[in-house]
Amino acid sequence: MLEIKDIHKSFGKNEILKGVDLTIDKGDVVVILGPSGSGKTTLLRCINFLEKADSGKAAFGELQVDLHSASKKDIHAIRQKTAFVFQSYNLFNNKTALENVTEGLITGRKVPKTEANEIGKKALDKVGLSDKYDSYPSQLSGGQQQRVGIARAVALNPDIILFDEPTSALDPELVGEVLTVMKNIANEGTTMLVVTHEMSFAKDVAKRVIFMDGGVVVEEGTPHEIFVSPKEERTKKFLKRVLPEDYTFYI
Amino acid sequence: MSDGLNYKFLVDTFFVALSGVPITLFVTAVALLVALPLGFLLALTRINQIPILNTFSQVYVSFVRGTPIIIQIFIVYASVPLILTAITEKYNWNIKIYDINPIWYAFIVFSFSTTAILIEVFRSALSTVSKGQLEAAQAVGLTNFQAYRRIVIPQALVVALPNICTATVNLIKATSLGYAMSLQEITLKAKVAANVGYNYVEAYLDIFLVYIILCSLVEYGFKLYEKRLRKYQYVSS
């Protein structure tokens, strides 16, 4: 459903992405792992045109675009098919939780207000925030804010949701509630591309795991292949550092 | 000269000074109407580092901020007629340059200076709204224009409002310099009245009072508006 070909991106002289290919099928949950600076986030941002890639192609079902020279219309079309969940939530501070969720529907997609409110409330119910429709972001905890962020993405009913380290800015005890919500959404068959450091999420939910380092895909496979029998030395080293000693993998 | 204050003159002149308020407010309003949108647009060129316009705004701000308003008034009041005379003579237009109402010069000077102040006000206010919110707006399918109108500007305005209030009050006070080009505003009217009987102290007191009343009212209005705009920050759950 989504195919990325040979994507390159530099910031000044610093080459972040050195030719990454990526294929995601409908309903897949793909997790990208890797150390900081490996280009995971940049890859995600380039797919949604929050960052303009230096070169590369993307195929979205029928829609083919060049990631460097896409027209405004193409960018708009891609953004209609994708949704993004940010590390720092990026909720609209001047809007209530419900307005945050419906803003893209009403203003961006011209959905009638009553219908949008209906969709928005359902999305907020789904992330367990039925009692927070009218709360402003300043009144919500980090975990609640991120759940609003997820509801905002879900409400758009996109073909794919891109998650950029959705739990990295959260207190440890709030991580669980966000991961639970993400698992529920994954179980409903939503296509997801997730950059995360949560190994348990990768292990339990991912269909495929991609390990990136230094701007390239080092290794990819099922969670079992990556966590239990990684082939590349670089992957083994990374996993040894991030996984506890007595980590065992059940499937 | 009589001993003490001439109370009758004090009261009469208060109303003379008051009769200058409409001109003061008119000049203030026109200057704000020009400076608010222009200052905002030029602030955007600075934030987004748009070549040429960015540099232009930067130079413009230092230029206006670095010179006293009274000197700006003298320059505009002296040079614009000269330029206009040259133009009208060249094209044989029959316009009497020196009959032009000084209020036009006031519009020019105060619009210029207020724009420079507001560029900086908006620039700092816009930079307080996290870039992430703009990205989030784009990601949910809003155009840049929609994102600014619905997300960024409402938040930036709240931050900018106290400074816009200061700029407005400063502008109201600065229009008193309009007397230098015989603009019929508060200060000039009261001073002219004082000239007759040398009642300067009374006139200055009246001017003082009128400005303080005017500025307090404006400040109060801004405070009410700010409270309304800030509703998303103050509500308690």
Side-chain angles (χ1 to χ4, degrees), chain A residues 30-41:
Chain A
V30 178
V31 168
I32 306 180
L33 301 177
S36 314
S38 56
K40 314 176 296 274
T41 294

Side-chain angles (χ1 to χ4, degrees), chain B residues 16-35:
Chain B
V16 173
L18 215 53
S19 73
V21 169
I23 292 290
T24 296
L25 286 183
F26 187 33
V27 171
T28 305
V30 169
L32 281 178
L33 280 176
V34 174

Side-chain angles (χ1 to χ4, degrees), chain B residues 100-158:
Chain B
I100 293 177
N101 190 326
I103 202 165
W104 290 99
Y105 299 111
F107 289 160
I108 296 174
V109 173
F110 293 117
S111 299
F112 263 110
S113 59
T114 311
T115 301
I117 306 297
L118 290 185
I119 289 175
E120 292 301 280
V121 168
F122 283 126
R123 189 165 70 96
S124 60
L126 283 169
S127 60
T128 63
V129 183
S130 65
K131 202 167 162 257
Q133 291 187 56
L134 183 62
E135 289 182 345
Q138 291 169 339
V140 297
L142 268 60
T143 62
N144 244 332
F145 180 75
Q146 288 170 332
Y148 266 98
R149 188 169 56 84
R150 301 193 45 90
I151 310 296
V152 179
I153 294 176
Q155 292 177 60
L157 200 57
V158 174

